[in-house]
Amino acid sequence: MISSFKSYLVEEEKTLYFVWGRMNPPTAGHEKLLDFLKAKAGNNPYRIYLTQSEDKNKNPIPFAQKIKFARKGFPQYARQIIMNKKLKTIFDAMSSFYNEGFKRVVIVAGEDRIREYDVTLNKYNGKKGRHGFYNFEKITVMSAGKRDPESKGVEGVSGTKLRSFAKNGDFSKFAQLMPKKLSNADAKQVFNAVRKG
């Protein structure tokens, strides 16, 4: 017997697909990642989480502002970009997915993070810790493809590259690598936020 409508919903869709990323700032390369996430998820739910770290080097844009930029830059995914200050680490997120009733999770990541996620997320599966507890039937880490820093196309876009353009005051190069849906004025806001941070 189904105990509640909520558990019935999760029974129907046991696999959650998600991305956990810095996106500081959001770039045209991230759009490719999110398109891939949506395509792979199919009829399963999918979510996008941005990290909350703030520092001068790699995380110049504060969390709330970064969420705003990402939702503007990827309006088609705005509802999937989750703002939850309680989920500070990927382990917090995993515990919360488990508590929601998901049986399997698929994390979509860049080629460079695959091994790290595969090892650490599976290592804590079924083990209690500071992060809480999760015990999934299956944790899959899926590559969204290789990043080639030398490439002129979307594959070559990286936050590092954009942060250095901002640092050097090169707005035209910076703007070219922003999400296509951002207006020039929005791109300028992102640029200024990176510079300020």
Side-chain angles (χ1 to χ4, degrees), residues 2 6 21 23-24 41 44 47 56 67 78 82 85 87 93 98 103 107 131-132 135 144 152 167-168 170 177 181 188:
I2 291 164
K6 192 177 173 201
M23 293 198 200
N24 206 324
N44 291 294
R47 297 179 192 165
K56 278 182 165 40
I67 293 269
I82 309 295
K85 288 193 168 154
L87 307 183
Y98 181 70
K103 306 280 196 293
I107 177 167
H131 63 271
N135 191 5
K152 291 278 179 265
K167 201 173 175 182
N168 299 327
D170 193 338
L177 303 178
K181 306 250 177 13
K188 193 78 179 183

Side-chain angles (χ1 to χ4, degrees), residues 133-174:
F133 177 77
Y134 61 85
N135 191 5
F136 294 102
E137 284 170 14
K138 193 165 190 224
I139 298 171
T140 308
V141 184
M142 186 181 278
S143 170
K146 267 197 168 63
R147 266 229 309 253
D148 174 9
E150 303 308 308
S151 164
K152 291 278 179 265
V154 173
E155 294 75 22
V157 178
S158 73
T160 310
K161 207 179 256 187
L162 276 135
R163 289 189 297 272
S164 78
F165 290 151
K167 201 173 175 182
N168 299 327
D170 193 338
F171 178 66
S172 70
K173 278 189 177 153
F174 183 92

Side-chain angles (χ1 to χ4, degrees), residues 35-94:
D35 290 343
F36 181 87
L37 169 72
K38 181 179 189 236
K40 289 295 171 194
N43 292 326
N44 291 294
Y46 65 95
R47 297 179 192 165
I48 299 146
Y49 292 89
L50 309 190
T51 58
Q52 297 183 39
S53 319
E54 284 178 39
D55 58 69
K56 278 182 165 40
N57 296 330
K58 292 186 168 179
N59 301 291
I61 306 174
F63 178 58
Q65 198 177 16
K66 189 167 67 163
I67 293 269
K68 191 181 94 177
F69 290 149
R71 285 178 175 163
K72 259 190 167 174
F74 316 118
Q76 69 278 38
Y77 301 121
R79 291 180 63 184
Q80 278 78 33
I81 297 172
I82 309 295
M83 183 166 184
N84 183 342
K85 288 193 168 154
K86 288 193 185 110
L87 307 183
K88 293 202 185 317
T89 69
I90 195 165
F91 300 108
D92 296 336
M94 294 290 275

Side-chain angles (χ1 to χ4, degrees), residues 6-18 43-47 49 93-106 125 133-139:
K6 192 177 173 201
S7 66
Y8 172 72
L9 281 179
V10 173
E11 279 306 303
E12 282 298 297
E13 42 185 72
K14 289 181 187 159
T15 306
L16 175 70
Y17 284 70
F18 75 104
N43 292 326
N44 291 294
Y46 65 95
R47 297 179 192 165
Y49 292 89
M94 294 290 275
S95 299
S96 92
F97 304 156
Y98 181 70
N99 294 337
E100 281 181 66
F102 288 104
K103 306 280 196 293
R104 294 183 287 275
V105 289
V106 178
N125 199 31
F133 177 77
Y134 61 85
N135 191 5
F136 294 102
E137 284 170 14
K138 193 165 190 224
I139 298 171

